[in-house]
């Protein structure tokens, strides 16, 4: 406790000294006078101090400290007495305290001790300035001191705690004081005192040679003495003070100067020994102690390191115990000394091999002995211990790896060469890295605590900047990837953010290097069975794949995926297309045995990912067409080899014709994977067909046509004896398969001859459909043979080339075959239900280029699918009766409307729609099949003109659905399949409407789609289907770029459609409280049907207006609107909106002008005030449509209104004499009358108008008109 109190008291003295202002100085004369005044009081204290100084070293340390404590206490007591007795001289006292150089007869430069205060500043620049000032002043003081002849006068003056036995006899008192104070200051934890005082000590010792090394070591030992009584913070401060003091000495360079002047100097060994003894005391001192030694080693030549550092007492023992206790700092020191000296030594113990070389350092046995040291390096986390960068530098040298990177990029982008030889140095580095990862990363760190797992991630991040791409699989090993996935799969994990940071840095590392990116993707997917993203819930692999931007990078990625799929580790034979393999052991099993192989398991997950990933490489790739074509070719070859074909003998086959080698996995590929390859192949061909644009030639020989390349590729491989299809074909399938190949070849030849004409597009689309059909036959045995045969016939008829006719045989003998488009439509419809998405794309492309020639009969067959419903037998009979009677039933509209109301009511009350009263409300558009008859030249029955065989061909899928419905208890599956079939047919109809918006057949499509939309069964079967039909109406009919024109558009047809839509628009929409989802859907459907009727009316009137019929022929249209108006005023059932009629009059003014008389008459005679007031807006809209009453138009308007003046006067009479009861309606009447009066006044018809009124009405209107 005594030593602690002394320490605190000493700090108080220092604080008092630091608080003195630095700018207050006094001359040496004033200091001398002050010293004389104090001599009497200080004499006894100095005598006592001098008498005890000689024996301080002979007594025990504890007694010496007690005596020093007593002397300090007496000195402070004297100072306090002086301050209290002489308050008037306080300024002089303070000034004296800030100067440190007394003089006797001659003056020395002044030294301001206030700089010590700035040494503890938090600001680094302030500390540096203070050190500079300190050293500069002390240099001047020492120079002046050295020039003095009589130094005793100075020595006898004020000593400022500089005792004469400190070994600094050749130093000025102020310098001795500064050195002692700097040494004490490095043990202070106040602010940044330790850093500032250490910096000052370093510069001062390195600048002034008068400070001897032995004296400095002695002062550090004396002033920062550590005793057994010290505990806690006091001991810690002394230990750290010694460490910083020794560090200052090492960095000052004085020890190196000592060795240069005396190569047998004992101070280096003594210094190293002191540092080692300090490191042994506390664990937290080990690393900084080694740092101090390393600072010294950097300044010493290798000879001095060998003769002095390595031979220092205690170093060998410290090295010897390092591997047992786990001392990473000892390992670091040993590595650094070996790097400096390049000399082997037994002093290192087990830390380094006897003969140092990377191969021995990273040998498994040696790494195992170092594992404890390296595991203990986690004490400095989150910082990485300095030993790891040193090991990484040895493990992965810079020069060799830079050369390896250049070589790896060039070689990796070329074709993969099996068993490629690498240099011996590269192999050694790879072996060392492999041992390091297995022993240290996997065997020590990953199997230990979270801190050490964290360290493993940090070490790998240190390796990344130096790591060549070929070494990526070594560091991303199975155990590490599994650990990474385990951490990322749990967000609550302590290491989750560490793993995230590792992935981020890994992503940045591979961002601009495709070779490294490929290595990372392959490694993490291989060790996760292709499920890294799904397990970790990240998009790491997906983002890596989307980041490819070059053709070479994509090619390298594809090659690596192929190698991973095939698994090159297995040896294989290599038969060519001219010879067969003799490797009996590699003979592959039969197709039936493929799925029973028990070793596939998890490997199929990885292979599945490979197959799915190959086509997706092109998704985000932005390259020119030729580069994409080359990438697609590589993908196509792999998918075709692994999916379509298999090697009957061996696992490798070389084709001399294609000059390529094809490989298969040693273990037979499962049927499921083969099918997946074919499906991805179909998708690849479909995407190529969509995005290929112009089919220009990439060279003079081969066009950039992926489909053509695929068919040639298939033909070539089928001619190789040792290669066969992945499944065997029966005789019929084999015949169809060959016909498809022949037909595609002929069409391809014809396409080249056509150039860029429309026929070339048709041929191209047909070719891709044939290719898709060929692949679909492999997936679905015997299901598409008949459709393929019919498609081949269509190709022969549409493009009768010589080779096709020669192969047609007796199939062309019958001259009574249907039209080619009818057969083509039947074939496409039969393919649609069970087709894959790529095949549907091919079907749509064929239909797009052929739909211009489609017949009405073909359209009706498609529309019949849309109208088809799955109902009970009784309902099917009723439906067939309805089909026969629809044309005759023109007056049944209101009855059907009532029945539909019942259906809606039942839906709103939750009743099922299968009751007997449930009827087909598509008749609300009334007789639409009559419209079909008028538009087309077909018979009354939509199925007419088709024999039984044709009907069966078109309805194969429908018959299958009905058969399923009979076999099952419910019809949900059949209903869903029918809905999908309808949606696919709607896609074809949408294409037709887009390509032929001006053809008269659009009316045929419109009428049938309208009937399907308003059919309640459509809403019950699928809301999606109704929305799709409504979308086609809006985008492809009402808002199309054109509308039906030509002779096929007949006025009676348009009149019939107009009448039915106006009646449908008059149908009331029941507003009931919506309490469930079904009622809400019913309400939305009613609004959609009302919108359909209104938009259809506008569209039909647009067509009529564009035909420019004479007014006499439009009498039927006028009659329709007259009936609508009469019903509007006379019947409460009519719910037609006045805004709807107003919009009709605004768009087609000729209708309003013709109906004005009837409108005025019915408005005046109606009994409903509501309808009368509503009709006033219609009258005003008609008046606006007539145009302004200007000079050019006033005569015509005068004549027009004069002809209707009597009816107008009658209406005004009714309005002014029978005013409505509601105020809002009265306001509307007044507004209307005011406008009419002003209008008549402008036309000079006011006087005749008043004369036509009776006396009462005239009196009411007279005042209004006069205004």
């Amino acid at each position: 406790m005594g030593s602690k109190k002394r320490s605190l008291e000493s700090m108080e003295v220092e604080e008092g000294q630091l608080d003195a202002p630095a700018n207050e100085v006094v001359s040496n004369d004033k200091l001398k006078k002050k010293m004389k005044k104090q001599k009497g009081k200080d004499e006894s204290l100095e005598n006592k101090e001098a008498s005890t100084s000689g024996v301080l070293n002979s007594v025990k340390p504890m007694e010496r400290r007690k005596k020093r404590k007593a002397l300090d206490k007496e000195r402070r007591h004297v100072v306090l007495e002086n301050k209290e007795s002489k308050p008037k001289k306080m300024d002089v006292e303070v000034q004296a305290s800030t100067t440190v150089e007394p003089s006797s007869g001659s003056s020395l430069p002044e030294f301001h001790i206030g700089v010590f205060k700035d040494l503890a500043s938090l600001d680094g620049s302030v500390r540096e300035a203070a050190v500079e000032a300190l050293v500069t002043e002390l240099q001047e003081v020492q120079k002046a001191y050295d020039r003095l002849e009589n130094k005793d006068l100075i020595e006898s003056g004020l000593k400022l705690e500089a005792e004469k036995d400190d070994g600094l006899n050749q130093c000025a008192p102020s310098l001795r004081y500064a050195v002692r104070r700097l040494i004490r200051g490095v043990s202070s934890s106040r602010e940044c005192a330790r850093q500032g005082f250490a910096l000052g000590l370093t510069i001062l010792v390195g600048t002034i040679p008068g400070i001897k090394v032995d004296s400095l070591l002695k002062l550090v030992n004396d002033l920062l003495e550590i005793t057994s009584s010290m505990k806690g913070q006091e001991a810690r401060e002394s230990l750290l003070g010694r460490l910083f003091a020794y560090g200052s000495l090492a960095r000052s360079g004085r020890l190196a100067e000592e060795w240069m002047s005396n190569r047998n100097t004992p101070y280096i060994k003594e210094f190293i020994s002191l540092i080692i003894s300090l490191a042994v005391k506390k664990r937290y001192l080990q690393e900084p102690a080694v740092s101090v030694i390393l600072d010294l080693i950097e300044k010493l030549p290798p000879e001095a390191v060998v003769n002095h550092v390595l031979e220092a007492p205690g170093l060998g023992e410290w090295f010897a115990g390092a591997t047992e206790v786990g001392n990473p700092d000892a390992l670091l020191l040993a590595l650094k000394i070996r790097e400096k000296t390049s000399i082997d030594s037994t002093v290192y113990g087990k830390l380094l091999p006897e003969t140092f070389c990377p191969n021995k350092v990273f040998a498994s046995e040696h790494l195992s002995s170092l594992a404890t040291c390296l595991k203990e390096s986690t004490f400095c986390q989150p910082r990485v211990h300095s030993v790891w960068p040193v090991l990484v530098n040895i493990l992965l040298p810079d020069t060799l790896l830079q050369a390896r990177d250049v070589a790896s990029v060039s070689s990796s982008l070329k074709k993969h060469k099996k068993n490629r030889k690498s240099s011996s140095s590269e192999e050694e580095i790879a072996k060392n890295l492999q041992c390091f990862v297995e022993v240290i990363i996997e065997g020590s760190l990953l199997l230990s605590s979270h801190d050490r797992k964290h360290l493993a991630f940090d070490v790998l991040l240190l390796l990344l900047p130096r790591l060549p791409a070929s070494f990526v699989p070594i560091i991303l090993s199975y155990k590490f990837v599994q650990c990474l996935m385990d951490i990322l799969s749990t967000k609550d994990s302590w290491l989750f953010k560490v793993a995230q940071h590792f992935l981020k840095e890994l992503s940045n590392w591979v961002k601009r290097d495709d070779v490294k990116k490929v290595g990372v993707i392959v490694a993490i997917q291989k060790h996760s069975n292709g499920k890294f993203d799904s397990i970790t819930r990240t998009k790491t692999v997906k983002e890596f794949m989307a980041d490819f931007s070059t053709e070479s990078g994509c090619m390298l990625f594809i090659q690596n995926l192929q190698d991973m799929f095939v698994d090159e580790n297995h040896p294989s034979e290599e038969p060519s297309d001219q010879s067969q393999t003799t490797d009996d052991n590699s003979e592959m099993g039969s197709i039936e045995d493929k799925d029973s192989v028990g070793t596939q398991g998890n490997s199929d997950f990885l292979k599945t990912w490979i197959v799915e990933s190959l086509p997706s490489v092109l998704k985000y790739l932005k390259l020119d067409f030729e580069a994409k074509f080359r990438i697609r070719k590589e993908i196509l070859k792999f998918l075709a080899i692994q999916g379509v074909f298999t090697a009957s003998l061996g696992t490798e086959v070389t084709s001399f014709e294609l000059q390529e080698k094809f490989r298969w996995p040693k273990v037979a590929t499962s049927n499921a994977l083969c099918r997946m390859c074919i499906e991805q192949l179909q998708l690849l061909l479909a995407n190529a067909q969509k995005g290929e644009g112009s089919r220009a030639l990439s060279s003079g020989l081969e066009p950039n046509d992926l489909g053509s390349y695929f068919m040639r590729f298939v033909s070539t491989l089928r001619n190789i004896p040792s290669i066969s299809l992945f499944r065997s074909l029966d005789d019929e399938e084999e015949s169809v398969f060959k016909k498809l190949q022949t037909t595609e070849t002929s069409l391809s030849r014809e396409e080249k001859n056509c150039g860029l004409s429309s026929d070339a597009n048709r041929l191209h689309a047909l070719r891709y459909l044939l290719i898709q059909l060929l692949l679909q036959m492999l997936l679905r045995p015997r299901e598409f043979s008949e459709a393929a045969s019919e498609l081949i016939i269509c190709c022969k008829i549409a493009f009768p080339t010589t080779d096709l006719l020669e192969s047609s045989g007796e199939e062309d003998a019958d001259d009574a075959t249907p039209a080619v488009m009818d057969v083509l439509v039947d074939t496409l419809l039969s393919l649609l239900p069970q087709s894959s998405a790529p095949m549907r794309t091919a079907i749509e492309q064929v239909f797009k280029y052929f739909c211009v020639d489609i017949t009405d009969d073909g359209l009706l067959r498609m529309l019949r699918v849309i109208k088809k419903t799955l109902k009970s037998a009784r309902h099917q009979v009723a439906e067939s009766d309805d089909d026969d009677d629809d044309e005759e039933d023109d007056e049944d509209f209101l009855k059907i409307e009532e029945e539909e109301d019942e259906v809606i009511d039942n839906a709103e009350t939750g009743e099922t729609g299968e009751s007997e009263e449930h009827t087909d409300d598509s008749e609300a558009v009334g007789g639409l099949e009559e419209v079909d008859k008028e538009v087309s030249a077909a018979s009354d029955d939509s199925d007419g003109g088709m024999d039984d065989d044709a009907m069966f061909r078109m309805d194969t899928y429908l018959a299958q659905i009905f058969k399923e419905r009979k076999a099952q208890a419910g019809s949900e599956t059949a209903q869903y399949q029918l809905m999908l079939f309808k949606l696919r047919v709607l896609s074809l109809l949408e294409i037709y409407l887009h390509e032929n918006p001006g053809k008269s057949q659009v009316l045929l499509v419109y009428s049938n789609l309208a009937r399907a939309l308003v059919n309640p069964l459509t809403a019950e079967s699928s809301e999606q289907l109704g929305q799709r039909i409504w979308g086609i109406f809006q985008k492809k009919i009402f808002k199309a770029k054109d509308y039906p024109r030509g002779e096929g558009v007949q006025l009676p047809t348009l009149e019939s459609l107009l009448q039915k839509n106006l009646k449908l628009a008059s149908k009331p929409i029941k507003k009931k409280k919506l309490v469930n989802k079904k009622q809400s859907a019913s309400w939305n459907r009613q609004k959609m049907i009302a919108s359909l009727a209104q938009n259809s009316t506008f569209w039909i009137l647009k067509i009529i207006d564009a035909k420019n019929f004479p007014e006499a022929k439009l009498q039927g249209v006028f009659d329709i609107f007259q009936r609508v108006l009469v019903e509007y005023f006379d019947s409460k059932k009519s719910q037609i909106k006045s805004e709807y009629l107003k919009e009709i009059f605004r768009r087609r003014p000729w209708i309003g002008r013709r109906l004005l008389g009837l409108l005025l008459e019915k408005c005046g005679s109606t009994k409903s005030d509501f309808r009368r007031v509503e009709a006033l807006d219609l009258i005003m809209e008609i008046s606006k449509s007539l145009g302004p009453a200007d000079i050019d138009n006033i005569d015509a308007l005068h004549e027009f209104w004069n002809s209707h003046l009597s009816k107008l006067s009658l209406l005004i009479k009714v309005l002014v004499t029978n005013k409505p009861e509601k105020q809002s309606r009265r306001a509307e009447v007044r507004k209307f009358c005011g406008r009419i009066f002003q209008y008549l006044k402008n036309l000079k018809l006011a006087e005749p108008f008043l004369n036509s009124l009776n006396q009462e009405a005239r009196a009411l209107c007279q005042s209004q008109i006069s205004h």
Side-chain angles (χ1 to χ4, degrees), residues 151 675 724 901 1046:
K151 298 181 174 61
R675 294 178 181 277
S724 59
D901 292 342

Side-chain angles (χ1 to χ4, degrees), residues 1229-1244:
V1229 170
R1230 286 194 298 270
K1231 182 178 177 181
F1232 172 78
C1233 292
R1235 290 181 177 180
I1236 286 295
F1237 294 158
Q1238 184 62 37
Y1239 194 69
L1240 295 176
K1241 188 175 182 181
N1242 294 337
L1243 295 176
K1244 299 180 181 180

Side-chain angles (χ1 to χ4, degrees), residues 99-147:
T99 62
V100 298
E101 284 303 334
S103 65
S104 176
S106 60
S107 63
L108 291 177
E110 298 168 355
F111 170 56
H112 303 77
I113 63 175
V115 294
F116 288 108
K117 178 179 180 181
D118 292 336
L119 289 179
S121 173
L122 293 174
D123 190 345
S125 60
V126 174
R127 296 197 302 271
E128 292 174 4
V131 170
E132 184 178 359
L134 172 72
V135 175
T136 302
E137 291 186 3
L138 289 176
Q139 277 182 309
E140 296 298 328
V141 170
Q142 184 62 29
K143 288 179 182 179
Y145 181 78
D146 291 339
R147 290 194 295 267

Side-chain angles (χ1 to χ4, degrees), residues 58-103:
S58 62
V59 298
K60 294 181 179 180
M62 180 62 75
E63 295 176 359
R64 187 167 66 246
R65 295 177 70 89
K66 289 181 179 179
K67 290 180 180 180
R68 284 180 178 172
K69 176 183 175 184
L71 290 175
D72 291 340
K73 188 174 182 181
E74 290 186 29
R75 186 181 297 108
R76 284 197 304 275
H77 182 67
V78 171
V79 172
L80 290 175
E81 287 181 352
N82 290 337
K83 289 182 179 180
E84 293 175 357
S85 62
K86 299 179 181 179
K88 293 182 180 180
K89 298 182 180 181
M90 176 62 79
D91 294 340
V92 179
E93 299 287 343
V94 172
Q95 289 177 355
S97 68
T98 62
T99 62
V100 298
E101 284 303 334
S103 65

Side-chain angles (χ1 to χ4, degrees), residues 945-962:
M946 297 173 59
D947 56 15
D948 293 340
D949 293 336
M951 174 69 73
F952 181 77
R953 283 198 306 270
M954 192 197 77
D955 281 348
T956 301
Y957 182 62
L958 294 177
Q960 181 181 352
I961 291 177
F962 286 118

Side-chain angles (χ1 to χ4, degrees), residues 323-343:
T323 55
E324 300 298 329
V325 299
N327 189 347
D329 303 295
L331 176 61
L332 172 63
L333 181 58
L335 290 170
K336 282 292 188 178
I337 293 176
R338 177 61 180 75
E339 180 183 354
K340 180 79 173 181
T341 61
S342 301
I343 296 176

Side-chain angles (χ1 to χ4, degrees), residues 897-911:
E897 226 175 30
E898 294 170 357
E899 291 177 350
E900 185 182 284
D901 292 342
E902 293 181 11
V903 173
I904 295 173
D905 292 340
N906 292 339
E908 292 173 349
T909 56
E911 295 181 13

Side-chain angles (χ1 to χ4, degrees), residues 255-274:
L255 290 172
E257 294 175 4
E258 287 288 331
W259 183 85
M260 295 298 292
S261 60
N262 179 15
R263 302 205 172 190
N264 294 322
T265 177
Y267 301 132
I268 296 178
K269 294 181 180 179
E270 180 184 355
F271 179 81
I272 297 295
S273 180
L274 289 171

